Amino acid sequence: MRKEELENQYSPSRWVVRLGAEEALRTYSHIGNEATKSARATGRSLLDVHYGDGEGEKLDIYFPAAVSEGFWQSGSKDTSAFMVSPLTAQGVVVVIVAYDIAPKGTLDQMVDQVTQSIVFVQRQYPGNQGIYLCGHSAGAHLAAMMLVANWTKHGVTPNLKGLFLMSGIYDLEPIMHTSENAPLLTTLQDAQRNSPQWHLEMATTQPAGPACRILVIVGQHDSPEFHRQSREFYQTLRRGGWKASLEELHDVDHFEILWNLTQKDYVLTQIILKTIFQES
């Protein structure tokens, strides 16, 4: 694929169907900000909790009115509390994790920070009924990398019960050739080392926790490359013995698939809740 077409395929704002690119990005930011303000206004939260020593290594924990054990994780914490209200209303504890984004953080560092955050939560709440990871776009990549994390090195094995991977990138080699992402991936080894697709294809053993459910999700109006990445990652998971399913959400684009999580009746919100309570 030519560089110009790769730029197009991996620029989600070019694929929105109801809004212009700039308006879609503004709406995405606005909904995330408002959802986070609303979640924090309830007062049932612990904000800026350090899971590591770095300035950016913090997380926010949102509790339901009647606290039960559980965990939910997403990416950038200060504008990403989309799913907090619908999930805490059903008794799910939601954790939003921050990490050092580029250019301050490297991909290796981001993967390590997300790993540390999960170790922290497992140690803080060892009696949890299940840890469920959720990530969108680049966040889905980071969540997927947890499937190949070396938990033995950290001295704790988290109680992973499920992953919800929305519009993700699992093979990083193609984005080496796009202008925006090239500084993060300067060599093929960089891309392979940080690609869950590559790790799982190279794996020679069955997953340690095959009961962990993995839902690979893509929006109908995501670009063909996002569809290809999701389909091929799902197929790799199935071949590797993971309990995986693939879901295409009707009539949503790359941004709507996430911001609609503010709605309790949204099909993905209901899928997530059903999965959590079936597995608990």
Side-chain angles (χ1 to χ4, degrees), residues 196-202 230-242 244:
Q197 176 82 22
W198 183 84
H199 281 281
L200 292 177
E201 286 177 351
M202 295 297 104
S230 295
R231 182 177 63 254
E232 292 185 3
F233 189 58
Y234 159 73
Q235 291 168 347
T236 299
L237 287 165
R238 294 289 291 182
R239 286 194 298 268
W242 294 91

Side-chain angles (χ1 to χ4, degrees), residues 26-85:
R26 282 196 302 269
T27 303
Y28 176 82
S29 178
H30 173 73
I31 293 176
N33 279 315
E34 291 303 308
T36 304
K37 288 179 184 177
S38 177
R40 291 178 173 180
T42 66
R44 298 189 300 273
S45 60
L46 295 174
L47 304 179
D48 293 322
V49 179
H50 279 273
Y51 64 82
D53 296 329
E55 177 59 29
E57 296 174 353
K58 301 176 183 177
L59 52 79
D60 295 340
I61 306 175
Y62 297 90
F63 299 98
V67 177
S68 62
E69 295 288 351
F71 172 53
W72 182 267
Q73 180 187 318
S74 186
S76 178
K77 80 179 181 67
D78 290 328
T79 59
S80 294
F82 296 95
M83 73 293 292
V84 167
S85 294

Side-chain angles (χ1 to χ4, degrees), residues 203-243:
T204 57
T205 59
Q206 292 290 307
C212 176
R213 290 200 57 181
I214 306 166
L215 180 58
V216 182
I217 308 150
V218 65
Q220 179 185 347
H221 302 302
D222 266 310
S223 78
E225 271 294 280
F226 277 90
H227 278 264
R228 180 190 66 81
Q229 291 247 5
S230 295
R231 182 177 63 254
E232 292 185 3
F233 189 58
Y234 159 73
Q235 291 168 347
T236 299
L237 287 165
R238 294 289 291 182
R239 286 194 298 268
W242 294 91
K243 189 177 180 182

Side-chain angles (χ1 to χ4, degrees), residues 99-139:
Y99 47 87
D100 290 316
I101 61 174
K104 181 179 180 180
T106 65
L107 275 172
D108 290 306
Q109 184 178 0
M110 294 179 211
V111 170
D112 184 63
Q113 288 176 325
V114 172
T115 305
Q116 288 182 57
S117 74
I118 296 170
V119 169
F120 174 85
V121 170
Q122 179 65 37
R123 285 177 172 159
Q124 289 293 111
Y125 303 99
N128 69 76
Q129 295 177 22
I131 293 176
Y132 297 82
L133 311 182
C134 178
H136 172 254
S137 199

Side-chain angles (χ1 to χ4, degrees), residues 149-218:
N150 182 1
W151 301 112
T152 302
K153 182 179 77 172
H154 296 277
V156 63
T157 300
N159 185 22
L160 287 180
K161 288 290 190 69
L163 278 74
F164 304 103
L165 308 174
M166 299 179 284
S167 298
I169 300 171
Y170 312 105
D171 173 13
L172 303 192
E173 192 275 334
I175 65 171
M176 286 177 61
H177 310 291
T178 63
S179 59
E180 185 173 344
N181 296 288
L184 277 173
L185 298 163
T186 56
T187 69
L188 179 61
Q189 289 72 28
D190 291 331
Q192 290 178 339
R193 187 174 61 254
N194 289 287
S195 290
Q197 176 82 22
W198 183 84
H199 281 281
L200 292 177
E201 286 177 351
M202 295 297 104
T204 57
T205 59
Q206 292 290 307
C212 176
R213 290 200 57 181
I214 306 166
L215 180 58
V216 182
I217 308 150
V218 65

